[in-house]
Amino acid sequence: MVKQTIQIFARVKPTVRKQQQGIYSIDEDEKLTPNLEIILPRDLADGFVNNKRESYKFKFQKIFDQGASQETIFENIAKPVAESVLAGYNGTIFAYGQTGSGKTFTITGGAERYSDRGIIPRTLSYIFEQLQKDSSTIHTTHISYLEIYNECGYDLLDPRHEASSLEDLPKVTILEDPDQNIHLKNLSLHQAATEEEALNLLFLGDTNRMIAETPMNQASTRSHCIFTIHLSSKEPGSATVRHAKLHLVDLAGSERVAKTGVGGQLLTEAKYINLSLHYLEQVIIALSEKHRAHIPYRNSMMTSVLRDSLGGNCMTTMIATLSLEKRNIDESISTCRFAQRVALIKNEAVLNEEIDPRLMIIRLQKEIQELKDELAIFTGEQRTEALTDAELLQLEKLITSFLDDQDPESRLEVGTDMRKIHHCFHHLKKLLNDKKIHGKSTVSCEIKDQDCQEPLKEEEYKKLRDILQQRDNEINILVNMLKKEKKKAQDALHLSSMDRSECRHSQSLPFPPGNPEGLRMLPSSAPKQIQDVSTFGYRSSLLHRKTGMREEMSLGRQEAFEIFKRDHADSITIEDNKQILKQRFSEAKALGESINETRSKIGRLKEEITQRHMQQVALGISENIAMPSMPDLLEEKLRSQLEEEKRRYKTMFTHLKALKVEIEHLQLLMDKAKVKLQKEFEAWWTEEATSLQVNSPAVNSLSHVKPFPQTPEFQQETSQPLFNKSNVNGRKILPSSSPIPHSQEHNITSTSLESSVPERPASSVPLTGDSQTDSDILAFIKARQSILQKKCFQ
Ligand code: ADP
Ligand code: MG
């Protein structure tokens, strides 16, 4: 990177007439920076306070006086820039000054003499000369020539220029890429292989410029021309390309609009004729000030195009062209002032190098080819893109033998040829995938085979079918038992005990009686299930009855019933039967467990016998002797044990069956006794209620609906039969004359007597009022008194 400020040079145009002395002086001390002093002529300084001659001093890199030749200008100003461009840096030389100050003469040159050639042709000549000298580098040169007039860009090298006026040509527009690089659309780039070609392009552009210019439109004074030399260079074989641009800029005349000429307003209020120069000055001012964040490049096309030249990646040089005649003093001073500002701008020029992908591909392709050639020398065979058929066949043979080789350390040797290695991998992958697919189909074949082998598994299938049948039987038994229990509860009063006994007998025989083979087929849980189901049926029956009791009896009536039951003669019998039933249940349970044990024992013995038998056979085969004719004592012992267990099993099973019959019979007896007790209670209760109704007055406000007088406290109980459903559903006992429905009577009679202490859930005691509760209690007390009286009479 090269950091440097914009170089400023001054060039004074020769005057035609003999110039008055004392307008300017150049102080050129070799050790110091040259100074240009512009002395305001006395007549122009009129009006100043002290009438003193005023002078302005400006520093320049170098000041070229009137006699400076084009050659000198080139050598001092353009040549260093051209050299940096050849080295790969961007460069810009622009001429700034009022119209007629020699900008075009300096940049392009005079048209009359060869020696008047300006910077452009000399630079072109120099560059091509240098390029020719440097044979180690490949160079490409392109030329573009842009004119900016009235903020519009025109391509001076457009071939249509001859046939069209400037305005009809496509405008050159600015495009900016994401990296903020400027690209000019519609600006043609013309390759120039030689100095001559490049010069022809320059002349073409200048000619086009002149054609476009008319006497009415002095475009040259108001337009900017940017002649650009694009240089690309690279070392042979290198993919790194250097790009450099050299802008040679002939700006529009910098003269101002307001040219007061004299007095205090001199050089203060004047404005540029050309707007883009105004913007150029804005950019220059912005760049020359420190810490300015925004540089207004975009304000004009010219500043956009020269963006890199001003405060960017460029080595820039300015030539201030001065026409130091008396009438141009103000403009000259303006030009110098402008140059002073420009001199403050610091640029950072970097080498524009980039990797050319096209060149990179070419280089890599070349490298590949070289390596291939090198390899061919080693292997002795020229490699082609694809493997030959013979090579492929050979590889597949190698893979097959590798896969078949059982040695875990075997290797697949195919050499270092990557094509062969890759082919091996592909082939193995293919084999693996094929095997996967084949594997799947093999599995399905195996399944089919299994299906085909069904006859072989017939035995197992039969076994499963038998188990299934057993399970079905068990389920049927359980369902029947449940039905039986339900029916028993429902038909307790209506079915004859004989009928039920028969029914139960037929349903409660789940196993074929006394068949040892049949016993062997029993599922392991069968005896337990018998017991459990019986218990369940019994309990569910109790539950049902208890529920029925809760539903059907009021609390007071329950109390009365409990007392009635306790004092009843049959209650002893019921209690006895209950105890016997409990005993039988526990017996049945113990018996069921013993049966289970015996059954397991039978199974174990059978297993032992089978094993023993197999051992004997195996022994006979191993010792190559015939089966012993003598019977095996151990086996016989096991067999006798087995028979003993079977007998036990049979006995116990018979006993269990008998127990079951007894249990069911006892349950039946209890049911009958309970029904009898219930009936007697109901009869007594009715009787008691009737007597209360007759003897006691009504107790509550409902008495007015009844035809007979009642005391308020006994109204409810004494006015109606107390077993009416609407009355007994809770503690509230309401009078009703309706007869007892048949089904309702059944519900009542099936009420269980198992609970010695009746439960009194709050939910079943709907309280409608304190008076009703009281009357309920009174009814109970009355009933109790009546029972006591009855007992006394007995
Ligand atoms: P500008 O482009 O700044 O308007 P030109 O370069 O056209 O000015 O110059 C105006 C005239 O002055 C031209 O005829 C040109 O030949 C002449 N001229 C300018 N500078 C010099 C110079 N250094 N030596 C000889 N003639 C010059
Ligand atoms: Mg000009």
Side-chain angles (χ1 to χ4, degrees), residues 482-533:
L482 279 169
K483 278 181 183 171
K484 181 193 72 181
E485 287 299 324
K486 201 176 169 187
K487 202 175 177 187
K488 192 168 73 178
Q490 285 177 349
D491 301 339
L493 286 173
H494 299 285
L495 292 177
S496 71
S497 60
M498 185 57 78
D499 288 342
R500 279 182 300 185
S501 176
E502 281 173 9
C503 178
R504 279 172 189 156
H505 184 70
S506 62
Q507 286 176 346
S508 61
L509 290 177
F511 314 114
N515 181 3
E517 295 304 312
L519 285 173
R520 209 178 296 163
M521 296 296 285
L522 274 172
S524 62
S525 60
K528 199 168 187 294
Q529 280 173 350
I530 296 163
Q531 183 189 324
D532 287 351
V533 169

Side-chain angles (χ1 to χ4, degrees), residues 11-14 16 65-68 70 97-107 109-113 116 209 220-221 250-253 321:
R11 187 184 195 187
V12 182
K13 182 192 158 189
V16 180
D65 207 348
Q66 296 182 32
Q70 296 282 62
Q98 67 182 108
T99 300
S101 62
K103 298 184 296 294
T104 307
F105 185 83
T106 304
I107 297 295
E112 295 168 31
R113 291 174 294 190
D116 284 345
R209 191 181 179 189
S220 65
T221 63
D250 183 1
L251 291 174
T321 54

Side-chain angles (χ1 to χ4, degrees), residues 542-560:
L542 284 180
L543 191 71
H544 173 73
R545 288 166 200 172
K546 278 185 180 177
T547 313
M549 186 168 188
R550 280 194 198 125
E551 283 171 359
E552 303 303 330
M553 293 181 97
S554 73
L555 204 60
R557 204 166 144 187
Q558 275 179 37
E559 291 251 17

Side-chain angles (χ1 to χ4, degrees), residues 352-597:
N352 304 297
E353 288 182 326
E354 65 176 29
I355 305 293
D356 186 348
R358 194 173 49 84
L359 289 172
M360 182 67 94
I361 290 164
I362 293 165
R363 202 183 76 182
L364 289 171
Q365 281 174 339
K366 196 180 166 192
E367 199 175 332
I368 288 164
Q369 190 53 51
E370 283 169 358
L371 287 167
K372 277 181 182 175
D373 293 343
E374 206 173 318
L375 199 64
I377 293 162
F378 282 112
T379 55
E381 54 188 49
Q382 191 67 39
R383 182 170 296 176
T384 53
E385 281 301 312
L387 292 164
T388 62
D389 288 346
E391 282 172 325
L392 292 172
L393 200 68
Q394 172 75 11
L395 280 174
E396 274 153 36
K397 274 183 188 172
L398 278 171
I399 292 165
T400 311
S401 63
F402 170 69
L403 291 172
D404 290 342
D405 196 343
Q406 296 302 313
D407 182 6
E409 301 209 341
S410 67
R411 293 174 67 176
L412 180 59
E413 301 279 6
V414 289
T416 53
D417 188 341
M418 284 311 289
R419 295 170 309 157
K420 288 184 178 178
I421 292 166
H422 285 309
H423 179 78
C424 282
F425 278 122
H426 284 304
H427 192 74
L428 283 166
K429 188 179 176 182
K430 188 172 172 289
L431 285 174
L432 201 68
N433 287 338
D434 288 351
K435 200 172 180 183
K436 271 185 194 166
I437 296 159
H438 183 69
K440 280 179 190 166
S441 60
T442 313
V443 169
S444 60
C445 282
E446 279 172 9
I447 292 162
K448 280 177 190 166
D449 286 349
Q450 279 182 354
D451 292 340
C452 296
Q453 287 168 0
E454 199 180 21
L456 298 174
K457 305 277 180 185
E458 184 59 40
E459 208 174 65
E460 200 173 53
Y461 179 65
K462 192 175 175 293
K463 208 173 166 183
L464 288 167
R465 203 164 49 192
D466 287 344
I467 291 167
L468 192 69
Q469 187 61 45
Q470 283 293 327
R471 295 284 181 270
D472 279 344
N473 289 340
E474 285 169 34
I475 290 162
N476 284 333
I477 291 159
L478 292 170
V479 168
N480 284 333
M481 288 177 91
L482 279 169
K483 278 181 183 171
K484 181 193 72 181
E485 287 299 324
K486 201 176 169 187
K487 202 175 177 187
K488 192 168 73 178
Q490 285 177 349
D491 301 339
L493 286 173
H494 299 285
L495 292 177
S496 71
S497 60
M498 185 57 78
D499 288 342
R500 279 182 300 185
S501 176
E502 281 173 9
C503 178
R504 279 172 189 156
H505 184 70
S506 62
Q507 286 176 346
S508 61
L509 290 177
F511 314 114
N515 181 3
E517 295 304 312
L519 285 173
R520 209 178 296 163
M521 296 296 285
L522 274 172
S524 62
S525 60
K528 199 168 187 294
Q529 280 173 350
I530 296 163
Q531 183 189 324
D532 287 351
V533 169
S534 302
T535 313
F536 169 76
Y538 180 65
R539 284 175 186 165
S540 72
S541 174
L542 284 180
L543 191 71
H544 173 73
R545 288 166 200 172
K546 278 185 180 177
T547 313
M549 186 168 188
R550 280 194 198 125
E551 283 171 359
E552 303 303 330
M553 293 181 97
S554 73
L555 204 60
R557 204 166 144 187
Q558 275 179 37
E559 291 251 17
F561 181 70
E562 285 304 314
I563 296 160
F564 185 86
K565 187 178 76 176
R566 195 181 62 204
D567 298 330
H568 198 275
D570 288 347
S571 67
I572 300 156
T573 319
I574 290 167
E575 196 57 39
D576 285 348
N577 282 343
K578 202 170 137 184
Q579 291 304 320
I580 294 164
L581 196 60
K582 276 184 183 172
Q583 200 184 330
R584 291 291 175 270
F585 260 116
S586 54
E587 276 179 47
K589 193 182 173 185
L591 202 59
E593 281 168 5
S594 299
I595 286 169
N596 272 343
E597 274 175 26

